[in-house]
């Protein structure tokens, strides 16, 4: 996973490569920045243009972080890879990195969903090793409602949250009675 | 083992069969898995990759389904043979062009394949023709169950299955459907579709996956979210998105047939003319014209071949397959010459 080079906030999901004079350059940007720049698949803007945009955005935005205030590096004790390696390559070193880099990695994973802070329970739903999955429509519906509830709370839509909560309760009562 | 001996049949995905096959060319479902307590294959220290490979091979040998798989190690093979596997969609470009101990296991129908030591230790995938998400998922899910009895997978209760790239964490499930969308391209609605796809948190890619261009108006739509949604939900979302794109492409085709019939027929028959007469043909140009023929065929405007034979031409006109048929390495110019001749022979008047 790369972090968007324009906003430096979201995970980059659009990857562009350009080979010019035998030099390979890569640009990684997120969808919202891509949309903002009017980027589309058919007429992909040229790489220099995009890099130009990235540079401009950086200058116009928040003051450049000072060299000293830059985030300190973290090391995975198990495999020796560093957070800075991940930032450069977009790939982790070993499963243990998820624990070692938790503070920085968690927001990147969670921002795909509703905003879920560390400590608010599992993000993963679905299969576990050794447990075969059975398709259970009640559980699925409950899970969807739970997700909706979390999102509504995090977005401070309390009326929606109350409505979803009562739906969820009703569903739970129904499945207990069944 | 010679690579040619592996390919007994055409890949199942080439059949041009299955639900919605007029628009949905193929469905691919894959699970990313890693062994616990091992470095990911992307770690710069490669010293345990051989052990990982052997451990996985042992697991394959031990499970009942294992005997139906061909195990093929890629290290030390010719680049052309590796490219052949890539063109058949059995391995990714990354695995083809990588280095070090790595392998692919695939079944005779070329519908199941497992990449070993790509970006993750295991990429279990199933490729089927047409739109068949559940079927393809059931296949990978079953193999995952079998392998998980022999291998300890890296799993975390918070994040799910742990992967080398956090964009795969959680279910490790990536579902892709290859769609043929010429009418949306022609009616210039394709960008609207892309925007809607992005809004659904899905991505669009070209013919060979990540970082490749969309040749022949073939687009691969995949889910982006792998964590926080169950396998069931991911499949349901994908099904709904794909069905709606299929609906729009169908509508656009209908519209073209009603209002732009001359333009449409002109395009299809021009492509026919080019394919049956050209003396030089790049792979990109071939894909473009074969795309027209596919459209013409499924819309009942052209009745000169079976869909499955046409689909084979998409594959056989790719560089590695072309060189395999010619039995020698060819540079790009020689390939364009050979490709044009091959397509003339298959489609032209002397074809039947
Ligand atoms: Zn961004
Ligand atoms: Zn590590």
């Amino acid at each position: 996973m790369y972090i968007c080079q324009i906003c430096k906030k979201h995970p980059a999901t659009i990857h562009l490569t350009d080979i010019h004079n035998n030099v390979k350059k890569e640009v990684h940007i997120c969808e919202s920045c891509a949309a903002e720049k009017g980027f589309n698949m058919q007429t992909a803007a040229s790489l220099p243009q995009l890099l130009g945009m990235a540079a401009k955005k950086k200058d116009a935005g928040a003051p450049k972080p000072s060299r000293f205030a830059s985030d300190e590096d973290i090391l995975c004790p198990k495999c020796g890879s560093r957070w800075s390696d991940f930032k450069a390559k977009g790939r982790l070193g070993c499963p243990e990195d998820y624990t070692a880099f938790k503070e920085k990695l968690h927001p990147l994973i969670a921002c795909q969903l509703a905003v879920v802070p560390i400590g608010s329970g599992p993000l993963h739903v679905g299969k576990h090793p050794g447990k075969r999955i059975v398709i259970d429509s009640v559980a699925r519906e409950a899970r969807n409602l739970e997700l909706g509830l979390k999102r509504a709370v995090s977005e401070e839509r309390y009326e929606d949250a109350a409505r979803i909560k009562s739906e969820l309760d009703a569903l739970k009562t129904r499945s207990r009675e069944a | 083992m010679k690579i040619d001996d592996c390919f007994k049949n055409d890949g199942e995905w080439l059949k041009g069969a299955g639900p919605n096959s007029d628009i949905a060319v193929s469905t691919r479902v894959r699970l990313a898995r890693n062994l616990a307590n091992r470095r990911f294959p992307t770690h710069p220290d490669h010293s345990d990759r051989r052990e990982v490979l052997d451990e996985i091979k042992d697991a394959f040998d031990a499970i009942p389904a294992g005997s139906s798989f061909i195990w093929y190690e890629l290290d030390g093979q010719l680049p052309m043979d590796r490219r052949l596997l890539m063109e058949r969609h059995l391995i990714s470009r990354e695995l083809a062009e990588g280095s070090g101990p790595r392998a692919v296991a695939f079944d005779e129908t070329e519908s199941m394949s497992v990449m070993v030591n790509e970006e993750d230790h295991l990429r279990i995938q199933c490729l089927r023709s047409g739109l068949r998400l559940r079927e393809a998922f059931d296949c990978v899910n079953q193999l995952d169950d079998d392998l998980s009895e022999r291998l300890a997978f890296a799993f975390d209760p918070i994040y799910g299955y742990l992967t080398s790239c956090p964009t795969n964490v959680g279910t490790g499930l990536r579902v892709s459907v290859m769609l043929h969308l010429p009418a949306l391209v022609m009616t210039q609605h394709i960008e609207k579709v892309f925007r809607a796809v992005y809004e659904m948190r899905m991505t669009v890619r070209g013919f060979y996956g990540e970082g490749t261009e969309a040749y022949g108006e073939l687009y691969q739509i995949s889910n982006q979210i792998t964590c926080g949604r169950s396998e069931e939900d991911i499949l349901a979302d994908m099904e709904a998105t794909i069905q709606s794109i299929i609906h729009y492409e169908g509508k656009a085709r209908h519209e073209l047939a009603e209002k732009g019939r001359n333009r449409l027929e002109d395009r299809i028959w021009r492509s026919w003319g080019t394919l049956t007469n050209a003396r030089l043909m790049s792979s990109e140009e071939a894909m473009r014209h074969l795309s027209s023929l596919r459209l013409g065929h499924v819309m009942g405007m052209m009745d000169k071949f079976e869909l499955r034979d046409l689909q084979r031409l998409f594959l056989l006109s790719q560089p590695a397959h072309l060189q395999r048929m010619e039995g020698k390495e060819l540079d790009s110019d020689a390939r364009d010459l050979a490709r044009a001749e091959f397509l003339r022979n298959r489609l032209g008047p002397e074809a039947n």
Side-chain angles (χ1 to χ4, degrees):
Chain A
M1 180 196 282
Y2 289 93
I3 299 163
C4 173
Q5 291 175 355
I6 298 181
C7 66
K8 309 235 186 311
K9 253 176 24 206
H10 300 116
T13 50
I14 295 167
H15 313 282
L16 304 158
T17 41
D18 186 34
I19 297 166
H20 190 68
N21 295 333
N22 285 326
V23 184
K24 191 172 153 193
K25 276 198 201 158
E26 294 188 5
V27 172
H28 310 281
I29 55 175
C30 73
E31 275 148 45
S32 55
C33 287
E36 198 181 310
K37 300 294 165 197
F39 169 78
N40 67 60
M41 293 268 298
Q42 291 290 300
T43 56
S46 73
L47 201 68
Q49 255 178 319
L50 271 165
L51 283 171
M53 292 190 301
K56 238 181 274 157
K57 176 94 175 215
K58 195 167 73 187
D59 292 340
K64 273 186 199 149
S66 102
R67 211 151 27 107
F68 304 102
S70 76
D71 40 21
E72 64 211 78
D73 217 354
I74 319 170
L75 181 81
C76 168
K78 177 105 179 192
C79 75
S81 71
R82 290 167 188 280
W83 174 250
S84 54
D85 297 332
F86 171 70
K87 282 213 302 197
K89 286 193 318 180
R91 298 293 182 275
L92 296 163
C94 82
E96 211 55 44
D97 291 19
Y98 281 91
T99 310
F101 306 155
K102 192 169 200 137
E103 298 233 335
K104 289 179 183 292
L105 208 49
H106 186 95
L108 277 177
I109 298 168
C111 81
Q112 292 189 47
L113 316 162
V115 182
V116 185
I118 295 180
S120 61
L123 301 178
H124 174 61
V125 277
K127 196 171 181 177
H128 283 54
K131 281 191 205 151
R132 285 163 201 261
I133 47 172
V134 241
I135 290 158
D136 178 347
S137 59
V138 175
R140 197 175 97 214
E141 204 184 325
R143 179 68 209 172
N144 274 338
L145 289 171
E146 274 162 16
L147 269 179
L149 182 60
K150 251 183 201 170
R151 198 168 301 136
V153 170
S154 75
E155 290 165 8
E156 301 182 356
R157 292 182 284 112
Y158 296 112
E159 274 177 29
D160 288 341
R163 182 182 48 78
I164 297 169
K165 180 77 174 57
S166 64
E167 272 180 52
L168 193 60
D169 290 342
L171 182 72
K172 281 182 181 159
T173 321
R174 252 183 296 146
S175 71
R176 253 196 309 274
E177 283 163 1
Chain B
M1 177 172 36
K2 268 185 68 193
I3 190 77
D4 278 17
D5 300 336
C6 302
F7 306 135
K8 303 226 164 52
N9 312 297
D10 288 333
E12 200 281 338
W13 64 277
L14 279 168
K15 287 208 168 112
N20 299 103
S21 58
D22 56 333
I23 296 170
V25 178
S26 59
T27 300
R28 193 177 67 107
V29 169
R30 72 107 167 107
L31 294 173
R33 297 288 186 258
N34 286 280
L35 304 188
N37 302 312
R38 293 283 190 182
R39 289 186 289 268
F40 293 135
T42 45
H43 194 287
D45 180 351
H46 286 181
S47 55
D48 63 353
R49 284 178 68 174
R50 182 77 242 171
E51 284 167 48
V52 168
L53 193 84
D54 291 340
E55 202 179 318
I56 292 170
K57 172 82 165 77
D58 289 345
F60 257 95
D61 289 342
I63 61 170
S67 59
S68 62
F69 280 86
I70 298 161
W71 180 270
Y72 189 79
E73 295 206 9
L74 292 154
D75 205 16
Q77 305 290 356
L78 294 172
M80 234 222 320
D81 289 347
R82 303 197 306 250
R83 161 106 202 172
L84 211 53
L85 290 163
M86 182 191 117
E87 288 178 3
R88 298 178 85 84
H89 292 255
L90 290 168
I91 65 174
S92 64
R93 181 184 292 271
E94 193 177 340
L95 197 74
E97 293 173 358
S99 63
R102 61 204 196 286
V104 59
F106 57 95
D107 72 337
E108 224 175 63
T109 65
E110 296 182 31
S111 135
M112 290 291 290
S113 79
V114 180
M115 292 194 279
V116 181
N117 279 339
E118 202 235 32
E119 182 181 300
D120 295 301
H121 293 137
L122 285 151
R123 288 280 178 99
I124 305 167
Q125 50 187 30
C126 180
L127 188 61
R128 306 300 300 269
S129 56
L131 178 62
R132 281 192 284 203
L133 294 165
R134 308 271 151 178
E135 255 182 86
F137 177 74
D138 288 345
C139 292
V140 295
N141 191 34
Q142 181 62 51
L143 188 58
D144 177 51
D145 282 343
D146 292 350
L147 288 170
S148 73
E149 282 174 16
R150 305 273 165 184
L151 300 166
F153 290 145
F155 182 86
D156 177 280
I158 308 274
Y159 300 115
Y161 289 94
L162 303 178
T163 50
S164 155
C165 182
T167 47
N168 296 310
V169 78
T171 55
L173 172 64
R174 184 87 62 214
V175 181
S176 322
V177 180
M178 179 94 70
L179 295 176
H180 187 223
L181 303 175
L184 286 171
V185 173
M186 285 176 81
T187 54
Q188 296 177 326
H189 289 311
I190 195 82
E191 280 187 33
K192 244 188 281 171
V193 171
F194 287 162
R195 274 199 296 275
V197 167
Y198 286 133
E199 260 162 47
M200 288 292 297
R201 307 276 198 105
M202 293 182 186
T203 55
V204 185
R205 301 194 181 104
F207 193 52
Y208 285 113
E210 196 148 354
T212 63
E213 275 175 68
Y215 289 141
E217 294 153 328
L218 291 166
Y219 298 91
Q220 200 173 292
I221 316 290
S222 333
N223 64 306
Q224 208 187 97
I225 307 284
T226 55
C227 184
R229 306 278 293 155
S230 68
E231 289 83 358
E232 181 59 26
D233 288 341
I234 292 170
L235 292 171
D237 283 354
M238 183 53 92
E239 179 87 40
T241 304
I242 297 298
Q243 288 291 3
S244 74
I245 301 175
I246 287 176
H247 170 78
Y248 287 122
E249 169 68 18
K251 242 175 78 175
R253 288 184 186 183
H254 186 74
E255 214 178 276
L256 278 176
E258 295 271 290
K259 293 181 201 143
R261 193 165 191 98
N262 296 337
R263 195 175 134 225
L264 189 60
E265 287 190 339
D266 183 63
R267 174 187 158 169
I268 292 160
W269 289 102
R270 267 173 195 277
S271 284
W272 176 262
T274 307
L275 286 166
T276 51
N277 288 285
R279 263 45 188 174
L280 289 173
M281 178 81 62
S282 71
S283 145
E284 191 191 336
E285 192 189 359
M287 298 261 296
R288 196 166 69 234
H289 294 308
L290 289 170
S291 166
S292 301
L293 264 48
R294 191 182 201 279
L295 182 65
H297 177 84
V298 299
M299 290 188 70
M301 292 177 171
M302 184 176 266
D303 173 29
K304 287 181 172 286
F305 41 76
E306 294 297 316
L307 189 52
R308 116 173 250 144
D309 294 329
L310 186 69
Q311 305 252 117
R312 294 187 73 215
L313 298 184
F314 271 99
L315 176 68
L316 295 174
S317 59
Q318 302 296 316
H321 278 83
L322 207 60
Q323 295 176 72
R324 176 185 174 225
M325 281 182 294
E326 297 283 318
K328 58 177 185 240
E329 270 189 59
L330 303 170
D331 65 19
S332 161
D333 288 347
R335 282 206 299 273
D336 289 354
L337 191 70
R339 184 178 295 112
E341 194 189 344
F342 164 73
L343 289 167
R344 279 201 319 274
N345 288 338
R346 286 300 175 96
L347 292 169
E350 57 271 41
N352 296 311

